[in-house]
Amino acid sequence: MSESKYFVVKQKAVPEVLSKVVEAKRLLESERVSTVQEATDRVGISRSSFYKYKDDVFPFHDNAKGKTITFMIQMDDEPGLLSDVLHIVADYQANILTIHQSIPINGIASLTLSVEILPNTGDLSSMVEAIEKLEGIQYLKILARE
């Protein structure tokens, strides 16, 4: 797995296509449009641009404290790996709200994890990076921020 890095960039430095992907995602989430085609037409980008970047760009909210973050993690079916993930969440002092792990298929388990970001929770980007660096983590995506 290639190592992911996270950057916080001021909006004026973000290429226009990435800003439009975020806007299209916002339109879809708010249900003001019902299809990706409608969203991309409205913001003026191609569907291929949307699909290329949709999983990798999202707005940064420095007011994440008190929010719920839901992650989807694909991980090797190895004893102790889930425990390692949960220890990282605990080390960053986030509150675990829900955990759902699927039955592993071909040695890979899917985990959905919702955590509450508390006032004393450490840096969210660092927590995500620490989870991603664990041996056996194949994929991590932030599904929702509420």
Side-chain angles (χ1 to χ4, degrees):
M1 181 174 116
S2 64
E3 186 175 319
S4 294
K5 296 230 184 258
Y6 292 87
F7 298 93
V8 176
V9 181
K10 289 184 179 179
Q11 187 170 2
K12 68 181 182 180
V14 174
E16 184 178 11
V17 67
L18 299 182
S19 294
K20 288 183 175 189
V21 168
V22 170
E23 178 63 16
K25 287 172 60 174
R26 191 180 63 70
L27 287 170
L28 287 162
E29 289 168 4
S30 69
E31 297 180 352
R32 285 193 268 161
V33 296
S34 56
T35 66
V36 170
Q37 186 67 56
E38 276 183 89
T40 57
D41 286 349
R42 177 108 38 112
V43 300
I45 59 173
S46 67
R47 285 182 46 206
S48 62
S49 292
F50 177 82
Y51 285 114
K52 181 176 181 179
Y53 297 115
K54 72 177 181 68
D55 292 334
D56 295 321
V57 61
F58 46 87
F60 174 76
H61 301 285
D62 34 344
N63 60 345
K65 306 294 187 206
K67 301 286 184 184
T68 299
I69 309 293
T70 302
F71 302 98
M72 199 283 283
I73 303 170
Q74 290 182 341
M75 53 197 247
D76 293 345
D77 180 28
E78 294 292 330
L81 185 53
L82 175 58
S83 177
D84 292 344
V85 169
L86 300 179
H87 276 104
I88 289 172
V89 173
D91 288 346
Y92 279 84
Q93 299 180 22
N95 184 35
I96 297 169
L97 299 173
T98 64
I99 302 170
H100 179 268
Q101 182 175 333
S102 69
I103 294 173
I105 299 172
N106 296 325
I108 301 291
S110 292
L111 173 71
T112 305
L113 179 67
S114 294
V115 299
E116 180 183 19
I117 307 303
L118 302 171
N120 58 334
T121 299
D123 179 64
L124 182 60
S125 291
S126 295
M127 182 176 76
V128 170
E129 268 187 66
I131 293 170
E132 284 185 318
K133 286 181 181 177
L134 286 173
E135 175 104 16
I137 298 298
Q138 302 299 320
Y139 175 82
L140 183 149
K141 178 182 176 187
I142 298 173
L143 293 179
R145 293 173 298 281
E146 302 165 14

